[in-house]
Amino acid sequence: MNIHEYQAKELLRKFNVPVLYGKAVFTPEDAGGVAYSEFEQRGAKVIVVKSQIHAGGRGKGYVQDSKGNNIELFGKELRGVTVVKADEYGNIAHKAYLLAKNTLGNKLVTIQTGDAGKIVHRMFIEEGASIEKEYYCSILLDRSNSQNLIMVSTEGGVEIEKVAEETPEKIIKVHVDPAVGMQGYIARELAFGLGLSGAAFKSFVDFIQKLYNAYEQMDCSMLEVNPMVCTTDEKFIALDAKVNFDDNALYRHPDYAALADIDEEDPLEHEAGKYNLNYIKLDGNVGCMVNGAGLAMATMDIIQLAGGSPANFLDVGGGANVERIANAFRIMTSDPNVRAVLINIFGGIVRCDRVANGILQALQKVDVTVPLIVRLEGTNSAEARDILKKSGLNFLLAKSLDDAANAVTKALAA
Amino acid sequence: MSVLCNKKTKLIVQGITGSEGTFHTSQMLAYGTNVVGGVTPGKGGTMYGCKGEDTFTKQVPVFNSVADAVTKTGANATCIFVPASMAADAILEAINAGVELIVCITEGIPVKDMTVVWSALSRSNSRLIGPNCPGLLTPGECKIGIMPGFIAAPGNVGIVSRSGTLTYEACQQLTDVGLGQSTCIGIGGDPIIGTRFTDAIKLFNEDPDTHAIIMIGEIGGTAEEEAAEFVKQHVKKPVIGFIAGRTAPPGRRMGHAGAIISGGKGTAAAKVEAMKAAGIHVVDSPAHMGVTVAKALGVKTAPPKKDTVKPAPAKPTTAKAAPAKPVKKAPAKKK
């Protein structure tokens, strides 16, 4: 599960991780009002107005209108993040209003969103900071040794993947053994690695221990602060924050549900979520319904080998109940790109004849107009094929995975 | 002719009185697995053998703790069907009791809990299979977990897989070309698992009765690449591989918590490349796993069967139980 920067910072503040003062806004009027009452009136000379989307690269991304043209404001192209000072274009509050007016409802295209971009629905206004130097910091699970890994670098504010490729020696990595936990020596090792001394050293050691505590307490699978900055008065602050929660641990944090942003989700995926269907929308033309995550991915691969492209990932799990199958059909086929549907069920513990009956009953509830390719293998598969044949409905029945692939090719050619 | 489990394995089931635990224990007993007892805290001292439609072939004793069960039954393996919020605790209890083989079926254990489990595991002599896995199957001898017994037949091909249903697919294809399996190992789809590809392949490599190995990987992590390196250095037996998820987009979790391409890592392309470089026969289509093994072993393939109702697995002479009866219930794992 992903959340916005402003939400991440609110959570970090609860764990005493230093962040700047800021406020989320949802309308241009809101932006102007907050910029005035919370910042300008209190003497702020600089604020930062940041678009909130679930993707990185915002500062270098462009805001575009519905035709895909970059929007210009204050004499230059409008980016996802803008530092605002009073000048000939107006005072801080007025400029914040104009920024929000030109950004909200438009799409922001960054290196991570692709050309499609993401519509901006929320913005975050934050006080400015006097920055001495930008650093990189992240905590995540290192799967190769099953421990959490802390990574820091003097190369902050840039793409860390690039640093890892070009100058890997500039990334300092330290693992945390859960039996030992986060200790002062770990923090010091990182601080020395960054070449820190004096007050900055002390501030970082404190910062990183608080950040690790937040990572653990919040059940994150990743926590990235890029940039983490050292101010001119030698204090470390999380200037940005990207948080991924471990989905398996969400049951321990019922409050996170309120942080979900429906605007960031695909509408069909959101709908599927209501029925506990494990569905991911893709942009291909063949829908698929499979039991088991591995077989579902393999089925997507087969669709591609057959000359199609998968329209979705869908793991219906072990149960073959009619409601589930009917909902899956409805969601899959409401994607207008879908030209054929492949059902691939391997009946291990579940019986194929039950699945076949489930499919027939589901088809009475949902109207499916595209070709249906069905492959039921495993327990009682022969009986299942009989049931489908006798139904009088027009199924393309496949026995092996190869048959299924050929049937997909045929259906797409028709 | 197997690894990890066989006729001699003495198994206990943690969470035996829950609905999943009950159903699958009945299946394991029916397959012939030597289930010697179960653990449900608070129900120790009772005998247990049925719930609803699920009836065991024999009643088994229930204990309050794993340590108790091990002392009284001499169990050397445990299978865990405990819900995700308590599963890490169950694994740690089994490690503490010194159980040699721990198979955890449970899906959805928080990563934080698993880092602690891993830490304890690395300081112990226990081996963990899973979590979030279908378990182990040594055809005709022993089934630990939820794999459908009927798909497998005794033989000489080892299967190791991150995915349950793809394991069944591989079994079926092998049977279709007339090849049986030494042991099927479902290692699980989570980011932290107890036994990785390399560990499983090492076992198969050392087993004289395993003549070829199928490894079924998927996107996410670098375990397949590490295994490829091991194969390159140490394995002379033919290894056949498949990687699921070539068409998966980056940044999305494809069902399994571990199946995610992040930061450019864990792509199918990188895995396939590493495996090919190690001399592994990588198939592009999951439909070709069985025939590729047959080809690698120089076995003439049996003509494809017309009907898919599988014959019962060949019974070893000493087996007392028939293969699983038609089942009455879906295997929906605890979420």
Side-chain angles (χ1 to χ4, degrees), chain A residues 80-95:
Chain A
V81 176
T82 310
V83 177
V84 179
K85 292 176 197 160
D87 56 18
E88 74 268 28
Y89 294 105
N91 58 7
I92 290 176
H94 184 61
K95 284 180 78 180

Side-chain angles (χ1 to χ4, degrees), chain B residues 58-108:
Chain B
K58 62 165 190 191
Q59 291 214 326
V60 297
V62 179
F63 301 92
N64 280 328
S65 70
V66 177
D68 224 14
V70 168
T71 314
K72 304 228 168 78
T73 65
N76 57 2
T78 177
C79 188
I80 298 174
F81 288 100
V82 171
S85 59
M86 292 170 281
D89 178 32
I91 301 172
L92 290 167
E93 184 183 354
I95 294 171
N96 187 52
V99 180
E100 274 167 53
L101 177 67
I102 303 164
V103 179
C104 183
I105 308 302
T106 309
E107 178 182 355

Side-chain angles (χ1 to χ4, degrees), chain B residues 102-178:
Chain B
I102 303 164
V103 179
C104 183
I105 308 302
T106 309
E107 178 182 355
I109 305 178
V111 169
K112 186 163 82 178
D113 301 6
M114 281 309 298
T115 59
V116 176
V117 166
W118 177 268
S119 172
L121 197 66
S122 60
R123 294 168 170 83
S124 78
N125 294 320
S126 298
R127 172 187 292 283
L128 171 67
I129 306 286
N132 189 14
C133 78
L136 300 171
L137 180 61
T138 293
E141 295 198 31
C142 180
K143 150 177 149 135
I144 303 180
I146 61 172
M147 287 196 207
F150 74 91
I151 55 164
N156 306 99
V157 182
I159 301 179
V160 51
S161 170
R162 270 164 80 175
S163 144
T165 36
L166 270 178
T167 310
Y168 313 160
E169 185 70 48
C171 266
Q172 173 95 64
Q173 289 179 22
L174 286 175
T175 312
D176 283 350
V177 297

Side-chain angles (χ1 to χ4, degrees), chain A residues 309-382:
Chain A
S309 65
N312 64 274
F313 166 94
L314 174 58
D315 171 11
V316 288
N321 91 37
V322 180
E323 277 315 300
R324 252 176 117 73
I325 296 177
N327 283 320
F329 269 136
R330 197 167 45 71
I331 288 162
M332 240 192 318
T333 54
S334 56
D335 174 355
N337 296 330
V338 168
R339 289 173 50 206
V341 167
L342 168 59
I343 299 171
N344 185 14
I345 304 283
F346 198 108
I349 304 291
V350 60
R351 277 164 37 181
C352 288
D353 52 331
R354 294 201 163 186
V355 179
N357 281 321
I359 292 171
L360 292 182
Q361 287 176 47
L363 285 174
Q364 287 172 0
K365 298 184 170 193
V366 192
D367 197 21
V368 178
T369 51
V370 295
L372 267 181
I373 301 137
V374 185
R375 183 216 181 211
L376 297 172
E377 186 57 283
T379 314
N380 294 1
S381 60

